[in-house]
Amino acid sequence: MLNLLHARTFLSVLGERGFRAAARDLKLSPSTVVEHIKQLEEDLAAPLLVRRHGLVEPTSQGAAFAPLARAMLDTAARSRAVIARPALHIAASSNIGTYLLQSMLVAFQASDRLAVDLWIGPNPDVAERLTNGRADVALMEWWSDRPGFCHRSWRREPLVVIVAPDHPWASRSMIDASELTGQTLLGGEPGTGTNTVLRQQLGPLADRLTAVRGLGSTEAVKRAVRAGRGISLVIEAAVIDEVLAGQLVVLPLNGIELAKELKIIAPSGLPEAAPAMRFISYILEEGRLHSIRGDGQALDIILSCETSD
């Protein structure tokens, strides 16, 4: 079993490039520092440090162990913080975290004084934070049914075509899907699942679309559309402000409903009183009320758990 104190001593010796300097940094005796390194090398069955030209440097094994030692100390620090002050760690995809979640969090914390730590980023990174334990609950635009987690579809958010106010389509009430093939379709952040939705709803027509990828975010896409670089498909909630300000025009597709089923995911087996479950209950109720108000489409709540053997 590796000792965290020994790992900390190892990193100090590396940083200070000497045993005596590390001893001063850690407020330990030089002999204690030497003993820590000796025990760590015995545990790992490898030499970790070597003295060259009067300075201590890592061996190849020591260099390989250094990032692992830092990760060990980081995990220990995060564990202490979680135990000392329980908080709900939420990871949300960029569109959900930016356009849908902020007001929900304010209302949630007004009714539940739980401390909340929110991280917003790309969908694949959100999934990774959840699976490696850095998030208690995740809100995403898709989920890949990884073992050991429960997911719920809590809201169906429409996808809409957006064009600039001076675009030839701006005065129309709707467009046919086939007309998209003559336009430049601007894409933002990869990994959002929009391509999957298009293939499901448009079939072979999706392969004929001229797409420009890599704008990086929905905000960048909206700016590009306003500048006249092309058109785009975005979630409706992302363009409310621009439509009200007359900066963008939203168009539905004739006879086709494009929408994303937004997911909320947490580890399976959590008790109802757990912070993640309290937040999930709030989100599901918010989704139900959202449907009643008529400003979106909530789903019948379906709980699906993938458990590992």
Side-chain angles (χ1 to χ4, degrees):
M1 182 72 69
L2 294 180
N3 188 303
L4 288 175
L5 182 58
H6 297 168
R8 185 184 70 159
T9 300
F10 168 74
L11 291 175
S12 181
V13 173
L14 272 188
E16 299 294 336
R17 304 193 71 180
F19 287 87
R20 291 187 178 277
R24 289 193 295 271
D25 175 52
L26 298 172
K27 296 180 173 57
L28 299 173
S29 68
S31 61
T32 299
V33 170
V34 171
E35 183 61 24
H36 284 182
I37 298 303
K38 179 182 176 181
Q39 291 183 30
L40 186 60
E41 289 179 330
E42 289 179 355
D43 287 339
L44 292 172
L48 301 178
L49 298 169
V50 64
R51 186 179 296 275
R52 292 192 182 96
H53 309 296
L55 296 174
V56 174
E57 297 180 352
T59 63
S60 59
Q61 296 97 325
F65 176 65
L68 302 177
R70 295 187 185 96
M72 289 168 56
L73 295 180
D74 178 63
T75 299
R78 288 193 288 116
S79 298
R80 286 190 291 270
V82 167
I83 298 302
R85 183 172 181 268
L88 175 63
H89 298 275
I90 302 172
S93 68
S94 299
N95 285 334
I96 295 175
T98 302
Y99 303 113
L100 295 173
L101 191 56
Q102 300 297 336
S103 60
M104 293 184 192
L105 277 180
V106 171
F108 171 70
Q109 289 188 282
S111 61
D112 191 318
R113 303 308 298 175
L114 187 68
V116 172
D117 172 58
L118 173 62
W119 184 90
I120 299 174
N123 281 271
D125 293 350
V126 171
E128 190 61 31
R129 289 181 79 87
L130 181 66
T131 54
N132 68 22
R134 300 187 69 183
D136 303 312
V137 62
L139 295 101
M140 298 176 56
E141 297 176 45
W142 51 262
W143 177 246
S144 56
D145 290 338
R146 303 185 188 193
F149 295 90
C150 293
H151 67 89
R152 295 160 169 89
S153 295
W154 61 279
R155 176 166 170 160
R156 182 180 289 112
E157 184 65 24
L159 281 171
V160 294
V161 177
I162 57 171
V163 301
D166 58 354
H167 191 278
W169 291 352
S171 61
R172 296 174 56 176
S173 59
M174 66 178 58
I175 59 171
D176 291 325
S178 59
E179 296 179 88
L180 295 175
T181 59
Q183 300 289 317
T184 299
L185 192 64
L186 303 177
E189 179 185 301
T192 62
T194 299
N195 283 342
T196 300
V197 173
L198 290 177
R199 292 183 183 280
Q200 290 173 343
Q201 298 297 319
L202 302 184
L205 180 62
D207 294 326
R208 296 165 50 199
L209 301 180
T210 303
V212 175
R213 310 294 183 194
L215 292 185
S217 69
T218 300
E219 285 298 309
V221 165
K222 292 190 292 185
R223 291 278 183 173
V225 171
R226 286 169 56 184
R229 290 188 57 196
I231 68 172
S232 189
L233 279 161
V234 299
I235 62 170
E236 191 173 48
V239 291
I240 292 174
D241 292 342
E242 288 82 1
V243 171
L244 291 176
Q247 298 169 341
L248 290 171
V249 175
V250 165
L251 293 167
L253 291 177
N254 185 21
I256 297 177
E257 179 189 10
L258 293 178
K260 288 184 178 179
E261 292 186 7
L262 306 184
K263 310 290 185 180
I264 186 165
I265 312 104
S268 57
L270 293 177
E272 290 301 316
M277 296 305 294
R278 281 148 52 189
F279 178 68
I280 287 173
S281 295
Y282 177 83
I283 288 294
L284 298 183
E285 178 63 14
E286 174 64 24
R288 187 184 68 82
L289 294 175
H290 183 76
S291 178
I292 292 173
R293 290 194 301 265
D295 52 358
Q297 301 173 64
L299 298 169
D300 293 333
I301 303 307
I302 301 173
L303 171 62
S304 177
C305 297
E306 298 292 334
T307 57
S308 53
D309 295 332

